[in-house]
Amino acid sequence: QVQLVESGGGSVDTGASLGLSCVASGDTSRISAMGWYRQTPGKERELVASITAHNKIYYPDFVKGRFTISRDNDKNTLYLQMNSLKPEDTAAYFCNADLYGDYTVYWGRGTQVTVSS
């Protein structure tokens, strides 16, 4: 099992930047991939960015060129750097981890990002 704790959310203006962090603990040596998801009321949770243990990175079109995902294995920390923020980026952002040989989905409790126009 792993435990995930997000931080770094806040309220900012359009065009501002924010950096999110996710600290993992527990059986971190078994992590095969990690990702950032976001969710707003009335909408499904959507993938923002992901990175595998082999450093394969994926971004959907709505964040490509603005967001950057990275990982520091020594600190067991996942990062999401968000630039040029838009009001539609407003959401609760969640950290996710997949483990080798474990089909359980692991989630943090989320951190709120609010972008005003």
Side-chain angles (χ1 to χ4, degrees), residues 15-93:
S17 297
L18 278 175
L20 305 183
S21 298
C22 172
V23 178
S25 60
D27 199 3
T28 57
S29 65
R30 294 176 60 197
I31 293 175
S32 60
M34 298 187 74
W36 288 98
Y37 291 72
R38 69 186 187 187
Q39 187 170 25
T40 57
K43 295 185 177 181
E44 294 185 349
R45 189 169 297 186
E46 62 183 352
L47 177 66
V48 174
S50 63
I51 183 169
T52 72
H54 301 290
N55 210 37
K56 182 179 179 180
I57 295 173
Y58 169 80
Y59 301 104
D61 289 341
F62 64 84
V63 305
K64 201 162 190 175
R66 299 189 298 125
F67 292 7
T68 302
I69 190 171
S70 61
R71 182 185 60 226
D72 187 335
N73 290 336
D74 291 335
K75 297 180 179 179
N76 291 320
T77 302
L78 181 74
Y79 302 98
L80 182 68
Q81 179 63 43
M82 303 184 294
N83 299 324
S84 302
L85 283 164
K86 306 173 182 179
E88 51 263 44
D89 294 319
T90 296
Y93 284 72

Side-chain angles (χ1 to χ4, degrees), residues 2-14:
V2 293
Q3 296 78 46
L4 306 170
V5 180
E6 304 96 335
S7 63
S11 297
V12 298
D13 294 330
T14 297

